[in-house]
Each structure stands twice: as structure tokens, then as C-alpha cells.
């Protein structure tokens, strides 16, 4: 039986049915993936961030204590206090949302290779420059992580927190070339 009108040609009808079914399938699949996908910022993501913050603060403390030049000590103190404050705010955010973090867990990202680099630099009188390079690398990696977390943040408070941390981190990164220039001009 041929029905006059748009679907009078059976081939056109079958193609329209296939295309329509494929579109419906893609829409349903997208809805399912959005509903069950792990694209949001999880508490595990935030705990990993606090571990990164802990490691950066630990290394910054070494710069503040062991730096030869005042510019290195100042850089270390500035980074340490900024990151310590961010870590406290992140831990408070986690606690408010029902996640307590064991202080031992904060130390899981400690990097012995970093300690070795700094020890070696101390013996070769290049501590200040090596410290500033390590901090630049750590801060740039951290800034990249913050951008990714911001993009996945589900709530305004999460986005605001990531945005604020990112801005602060960019300010810290912007201080490093100045510190490196001072270090190099002093002959280290």
C-alpha cells in the first residue's frame, strides 16, 4: 500500500526512520552520559588538590629557610603562606561537605626527587635558582589542574574557589621571573 504524500517513496521513509532513530539514540546516550559521568569535581579531586598544596608549601618552606638571597626567602614565604591558606580553605570546604582528611593523607604527594634536587643544588651553590625553577614548575602544574577543576566545577562556590586560587597562583608565577633575575644578577 502506497500512501500519497511525503513518504510515498519507501526508500525515503526508511532513510528518515534510520536518521530519526540515530538522532534519538544520540540524545538518549548524551543524557545518560551526563547523568552518570564523573565530570564533576569529586572529594577525591579536592583531596588530591590539598596534597599538591601540601607539597608546594613544604618545598616553599625549604626556600624560605635555606635560600641564600633575600629574594628567594621572600618568594618561599609568599608561596608558603598563600598555598597554606588555600589548603586550609579547601580542607574547610571538604569538612563542610562531609569529608574529613587525615593529616597523614596530605603527605602522600611528597616528592623525594625534589628534596634530592634541592640538596644537590645546596652543595653546588645553585640552591636559589633551582628552588625558583622547581616552584615555577609546581605552580604551573597546579594552575593547570585548577583550570581543569574549574571547568568541571558543578557549584558556584567550587567555581569561585578554583577561580580565586587560579588568580593567586598566577600572581605567584608572575613573581618568579623577577626573583630569577635578581638571583642571576647576584651571580648565583
Amino acid at each position: 500500500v502506497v500512501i500519497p504524500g511525503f513518504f510515498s517513496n519507501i526508500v525515503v521513509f526508511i532513510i528518515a526512520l534510520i536518521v530519526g532513530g540515530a538522532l534519538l539514540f544520540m540524545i538518549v546516550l548524551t543524557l545518560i552520559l551526563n547523568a552518570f559521568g564523573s565530570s564533576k569535581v569529586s572529594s577525591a579531586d579536592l583531596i588530591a588538590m590539598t596534597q599538591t598544596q601540601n607539597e608546594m608549601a613544604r618545598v616553599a618552606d625549604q626556600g624560605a629557610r635555606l635560600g641564600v638571597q633575600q629574594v628567594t626567602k621572600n618568594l618561599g614565604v609568599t608561596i608558603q603562606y598563600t598555598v597554606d591558606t588555600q589548603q586550609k580553605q579547601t580542607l574547610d570546604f571538604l569538612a563542610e561537605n562531609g569529608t574529613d582528611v587525615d593529616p597523614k593523607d596530605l603527605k602522600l604527594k611528597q616528592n623525594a626527587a625534589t628534596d634530592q634536587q634541592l640538596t644537590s643544588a645546596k652543595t653546588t651553590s645553585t640552591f636559589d635558582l633551582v628552588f625558583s625553577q622547581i616552584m615555577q614548575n609546581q605552580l604551573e602544574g597546579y594552575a593547570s589542574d585548577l583550570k581543569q577543576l574549574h571547568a568541571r566545577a558543578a557549584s558556584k562556590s567550587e567555581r569561585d574557589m578554583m577561580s580565586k586560587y587560579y588568580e593567586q597562583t598566577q600572581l605567584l608565577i608572575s613573581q618568579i621571573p623577577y626573583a630569577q633575575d635578581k638571583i642571576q644578577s647576584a651571580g648565583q
Side-chain angles (χ1 to χ4, degrees):
V1 175
V2 177
I3 303 171
F6 183 73
F7 294 115
S8 61
N9 187 339
I10 194 73
V11 175
V12 173
F13 178 73
I14 292 173
I15 292 173
L17 190 61
I18 291 171
V19 170
L23 285 173
L24 182 63
F25 175 75
M26 288 189 295
I27 291 170
V28 170
L29 182 63
T30 301
L31 291 173
I32 290 171
L33 290 176
N34 284 338
F36 296 109
S38 62
S39 63
K40 294 187 221 172
V41 175
S42 68
S43 59
D45 293 327
L46 294 177
I47 291 169
M49 185 172 71
T50 62
Q51 293 167 340
T52 300
Q53 292 163 337
N54 195 71
E55 175 62 1
M56 287 190 305
R58 186 186 73 80
V59 174
D61 177 62
Q62 291 183 44
R65 288 183 300 104
L66 304 173
V68 176
Q69 296 182 40
Q70 190 61 46
V71 69
T72 304
K73 293 178 182 188
N74 292 348
L75 181 64
V77 167
T78 302
I79 293 170
Q80 181 182 8
Y81 285 124
T82 301
V83 174
D84 276 343
T85 300
Q86 290 177 359
Q87 183 185 43
K88 179 173 180 352
Q89 291 169 348
T90 306
L91 290 169
D92 289 347
F93 181 84
L94 283 164
E96 289 168 9
N97 289 287
T99 303
D100 291 320
V101 181
D102 188 328
K104 289 184 237 172
D105 291 340
L106 296 175
K107 297 179 182 183
L108 292 177
K109 285 192 178 179
Q110 284 189 0
N111 188 344
T114 300
D115 295 337
Q116 181 58 44
Q117 282 181 290
L118 292 172
T119 300
S120 189
K122 190 75 173 160
T123 60
T124 60
S125 299
T126 57
F127 180 87
D128 290 8
L129 191 56
V130 170
F131 166 76
S132 68
Q133 291 167 341
I134 289 170
M135 288 311 314
Q136 182 170 12
N137 291 339
Q138 287 187 351
L139 288 166
E140 287 172 351
Y142 177 58
S144 176
D145 292 347
L146 290 170
K147 273 181 98 167
Q148 291 173 10
L149 290 171
H150 180 273
R152 293 180 16 221
S155 71
K156 182 177 179 348
S157 61
E158 287 175 346
R159 282 189 302 278
D160 289 347
M161 181 172 60
M162 298 307 155
S163 188
K164 178 175 72 171
Y165 292 178
Y166 181 79
E167 290 171 14
Q168 293 169 351
T169 303
Q170 289 302 315
L171 286 172
L172 294 172
I173 292 169
S174 73
Q175 293 177 20
I176 292 174
Y178 168 79
Q180 290 173 337
D181 286 347
K182 288 287 194 184
I183 292 164
Q184 289 174 340
S185 69
Q188 187 178 4

